[in-house]
Amino acid sequence: MANPLSFLNLKARVLLVVVGLIIVGILGFAARTASVLRSDLEELTSAQLSSQVEFIARQMDEEFQFRIDTLNEIAASISSEILVNPDQLQSLLTQRQLPSTLFPFGIMALDLQGRIVADVGSNLPDDRRRALVGDPDYFKNMLLRDKPFVGVPFKSPFASRLIVPIAVPLRDRAGNVVGALVNPVNLLD
């Protein structure tokens, strides 16, 4: 069998080998460049996503802390006499001008059993006023830790949305926890 390159002279053969090597070099360079660019792009995307997550987490933390501080302020302003009288508690909460931008789903006052005794801005029907509120784990944790607690998201029993409850203790004069103020927060807001 004859060599297919036998009809080419030496110069043409050398030129063909050089062109072949150049093509292989260019393909190798392109593959290496693509690999480096992919790696750099992955690092850049990862850093950008991490930065966005940090920003969102910091913003949520600040918003939750502001809500907790506001709820603590409201809880501190409620006297022991009002705590034992749901009608007076309802009246007091109604008189407070709560910003709807901060509390779009209102706040609820719960007794030690986790039942709603008063609410404002939550638009609850009267028949749900004494209802046991959702998953009481956040309420139990608040009672056990004796401090404000942000619960895990759960589906609201009163609306078809996922909410995160923020609970702060209501205390009597002796400092004993006698209930809680709860603010349901919709994470999509």
Side-chain angles (χ1 to χ4, degrees):
M1 179 166 184
N3 185 355
L5 299 177
S6 62
F7 68 92
L8 297 175
N9 63 20
L10 184 60
K11 283 183 183 179
R13 288 180 191 170
V14 169
L15 182 63
L16 194 57
V17 169
V18 169
V19 168
L21 288 174
I22 289 173
I23 290 173
V24 168
I26 289 172
L27 291 176
F29 178 73
R32 176 69 182 141
T33 301
S35 173
V36 169
L37 287 175
R38 183 180 306 118
S39 174
D40 288 350
L41 187 59
E42 285 174 359
E43 286 179 27
L44 185 62
T45 303
S46 175
Q48 185 178 16
L49 287 174
S50 177
S51 175
Q52 286 177 337
V53 167
E54 272 183 42
F55 174 76
I56 291 169
R58 190 171 36 255
Q59 187 177 20
M60 284 179 65
D61 187 51
E62 289 171 2
E63 287 182 20
F64 278 29
Q65 189 58 52
F66 184 68
R67 288 172 193 244
I68 288 170
D69 292 344
T70 304
L71 287 172
N72 276 328
E73 229 176 80
I74 295 168
S77 72
I78 300 173
S79 69
S80 296
E81 295 78 27
I82 292 177
L83 286 174
V84 295
N85 188 331
D87 292 331
Q88 284 184 345
L89 183 55
Q90 179 64 48
S91 177
L92 176 76
L93 290 177
T94 303
Q95 288 173 3
R96 287 195 71 112
Q97 297 297 319
L98 297 175
S100 62
T101 55
L102 183 60
F103 300 112
F105 300 110
I107 60 173
M108 298 174 283
L110 309 180
D111 62 14
L112 280 175
Q113 288 73 43
R115 297 193 191 292
I116 302 168
V117 292
D119 73 285
V120 63
S122 61
N123 300 322
L124 289 176
D126 287 337
D127 63 333
R128 295 192 182 184
R129 184 66 46 82
R130 296 289 299 163
L132 188 64
V133 178
D135 181 359
D137 283 346
Y138 69 91
F139 186 68
K140 290 176 186 173
N141 278 310
M142 188 240 9
L143 291 174
L144 287 172
R145 292 189 168 109
D146 196 22
K147 63 181 183 180
F149 188 79
V150 177
V152 295
F154 69 93
K155 189 169 182 175
S156 168
F158 306 119
S160 60
R161 63 174 78 88
L162 213 57
I163 62 165
V164 174
I166 300 174
V168 299
L170 286 171
R171 300 177 189 282
D172 61 13
R173 281 189 186 152
N176 300 317
V177 176
V178 294
L181 279 181
V182 177
N183 170 227
V185 178
N186 184 354
L187 288 180
L188 299 178
D189 288 342

